Amino acid sequence: MTATLTRPETPRRSTTPASVLSDSWVIAKRNLIKIKRVPEILVFILISPIMFVLLFAYVFGGAISVSGSPEGYREFLIGGIFAQTVVFGSTFTGAGLAEDMQKGIIDRFRSLPMSRAAVLIGRTASDVVYNVLTLIIMALTGLLVGWRIRNSAIDALAGFALLLVFAYAFSWVMAYVGLLVPSVEVINNASFIVIMPMTFISNAFVPLETFPTPLRVFAEWNPVSTVTQAARELFGNTSPAAVTSDPWSLQNPVLYTLIWTVVIVAVFAPLSIARFRRTSA
Amino acid sequence: MSDIIEARGLVKRYGEVTALDGLDLTVPEGTVLGLLGPNGAGKTTAVRILTTLLRPDEGRAVVAGIDVTRDPQGVRSRIGLSGQYAAVDEHLTGFENLDMVGRLYGLGRARSRARARQLLERFSLAEAGDRPSKTYSGGMRRRLDLAAALVAEPPVLVLDEPTTGLDVRARQEMWDVIRELVGGGATLLLTTQYLEEADQLADDIIVIDRGRAIAHGTADDLKSQVGGERVELVLRDATDSRAAFAALATVATSEVQRSESGRTMGARVDSGQHALAQVLRQLEEARVEVVDIGLRRPTLDDVFLELTGHVAEEHEQTDERELVGTKEGS
């Protein structure tokens, strides 16, 4: 065995885009193995969206009518639930990171000649898998309660893709929050403060007409509203009556959402990476 | 022999607290430096600076020819760190942990996997290699962590308190593993709060207290710094105390220290063998019976006490005693 231990020339690693990608994949794989080993996480992650769909469809569904019927509300609702759930899912990114930061493993990563950014890129990337699973479960539940895709499959896929892209961007926000908080316990409360207003002051659950003006303006330009609107349009869940005097954001929800996505990543990815480099656990 | 680790005047402050206060250290290639000190002495801060996890406020450190602040990434590919808390992912198996580290060092897929299997074998983890490391004992986790530090066969190894928190048997196993590495010519920086550990493993010891090096030398150097050998004896009968005291006083180079009961006493002596023979002769003539008599060299504990004025890690030592006590009791 000593024969095989002859020292090779120590690899001198320089950070190239290829090495960042490969390191990120190694980290993402590591995060995904955890799903396999702790399936309980997955169960809870999948149960909560089912609960959301059912709660909103049957608890609020009776009280709110869109296009004059509870069925109309359910149809209206699903896009909103999708958006809300993937945004909530980003908390998972923050929690995972905050948990890592408390453990010795992060020192291991820091002492390796790997890309620093890969720890964060790998984390946000593996969380896309969670969101895919969540969306599948929610869509199936939605179909059970009467939601229907009324557009082409391509449009519908574009709708899911947009939700995933937006969720990915948002997980960078939570990655940053996860690096700011001192412990995992704090992250849930911290993310609540960000996520609750963003998802509730939006058109996710109720039409905007009822909002007082300042809230309505916020909601109209809130990317959660536009991603919801985009999903509804792409799934064919908008009632023609609802489109009236919408501002530009809601007229062009896909484009507007994509702009937000790019801006969020452009701001929060460098912020998080810089923060990660600076913090010494 | 060239110095593979060289640090000059390292200073690190955390607000009011000065963790490192101008620490110098050098480790020649192929040797083991033991950084010995109590909790909070600055050992871990020093290690974190040398392994690029922390930037010093002042001072300079060069590891394997590379400046740690100028080219941290370069240093990282030449060191292996095994930390105080086993830095392994508990959800991954032993194999997955090592493979992950290999890939992150930049080893190719095939080489990384082969290396992981090889190390599992070497550290007696082959059987447990495909179980999540969560199921490992403390000792196994530390071995896995050490294996992770060796994945890329780095020229410099840094072990931060490799046996802290391990039970006596696991510690012994860890020592065997480290000794084997040292035998293979590894360059090692080892921090420890166990005097015995530094004594057993290190070629060279720096005693550190409150962020400064307060002594430097081999274990033998340090021991002789405290003074030479002592003759110590235990009497069968306390009534012989006065006679024994007199016998010991004839050879003593220090005050004779006597226990309260008067049965145990000891003193520093110059040439141990002669002094011991002389004391024995006198005890014989005075018909004093002893249950135990012998020469004792100072331990690193004595060194530490002498240098710092306080005992190293009282808590840890208490724990150890308790542990030994329970073992004997059961």
Side-chain angles (χ1 to χ4, degrees), chain A residues 81-147:
Chain A
I81 298 269
F82 282 180
Q84 189 226 21
T85 306
V86 294
V87 170
F88 261 98
S90 65
T91 307
F92 197 69
T93 305
L97 211 50
E99 193 186 346
D100 276 353
M101 294 301 286
Q102 288 181 325
K103 293 197 170 164
I105 190 82
I106 216 78
D107 273 352
R108 164 76 58 216
F109 291 151
R110 282 176 201 280
S111 74
L112 292 175
M114 64 182 286
S115 145
R116 312 278 97 174
V119 174
L120 304 179
I121 298 173
R123 169 60 65 183
T124 51
S126 58
D127 291 343
V128 173
V129 175
Y130 282 87
N131 277 326
V132 169
L133 292 172
T134 312
L135 279 177
I136 291 172
I137 295 293
M138 278 194 299
L140 293 175
T141 316
L143 290 172
L144 282 178
V145 300
W147 169 67

Side-chain angles (χ1 to χ4, degrees), chain B residues 3-8 24-28 31 33 204 206 216:
Chain B
D3 292 333
I4 204 151
I5 301 179
E6 191 182 357
R8 291 273 162 262
D24 297 332
L25 62 84
T26 52
V27 187
T31 68
L33 174 71
D204 207 14
I206 289 180
H216 180 202

Side-chain angles (χ1 to χ4, degrees), chain A residues 4-5 10 30 37 108 114, chain B residues 77 81 89 118 145 153:
Chain A
T4 50
L5 279 180
T10 316
R30 168 226 169 206
R37 300 282 148 75
R108 164 76 58 216
M114 64 182 286
Chain B
S77 49
L81 169 66
D89 189 312
Q118 189 186 22
D145 193 59
E153 297 166 69

Side-chain angles (χ1 to χ4, degrees), chain B residues 215-245:
Chain B
H216 180 202
T218 62
D220 286 337
D221 290 343
L222 293 175
K223 285 175 191 169
S224 62
Q225 211 169 313
V226 177
E229 297 150 308
R230 290 167 62 85
V231 170
E232 294 194 339
L233 60 85
V234 181
L235 298 170
R236 180 165 302 283
D237 193 341
T239 53
D240 291 330
S241 188
R242 186 177 295 202
F245 187 92

Side-chain angles (χ1 to χ4, degrees), chain A residues 1 4-8 10-13 30 33-34 37-38 103-104 107-108 110 112-114 281, chain B residues 48 53 71 73 76-77 81 87 89-92 96 100 104-106 111 115 118 122 145 148 153:
Chain A
M1 161 168 134
T4 50
L5 279 180
T6 47
R7 176 165 299 156
T10 316
R12 174 74 173 87
R13 288 201 88 195
R30 168 226 169 206
I33 287 175
K34 188 176 175 185
R37 300 282 148 75
V38 195
K103 293 197 170 164
D107 273 352
R108 164 76 58 216
R110 282 176 201 280
L112 292 175
M114 64 182 286
Chain B
R48 294 182 73 85
L53 301 182
D71 183 10
Q73 203 71 342
R76 287 176 196 131
S77 49
L81 169 66
D89 189 312
E90 57 176 351
H91 297 296
L92 303 194
E96 286 163 344
M100 173 177 76
L104 294 175
Y105 264 114
R111 210 169 122 211
R115 185 75 183 134
Q118 189 186 22
R122 177 169 172 193
D145 193 59
E153 297 166 69

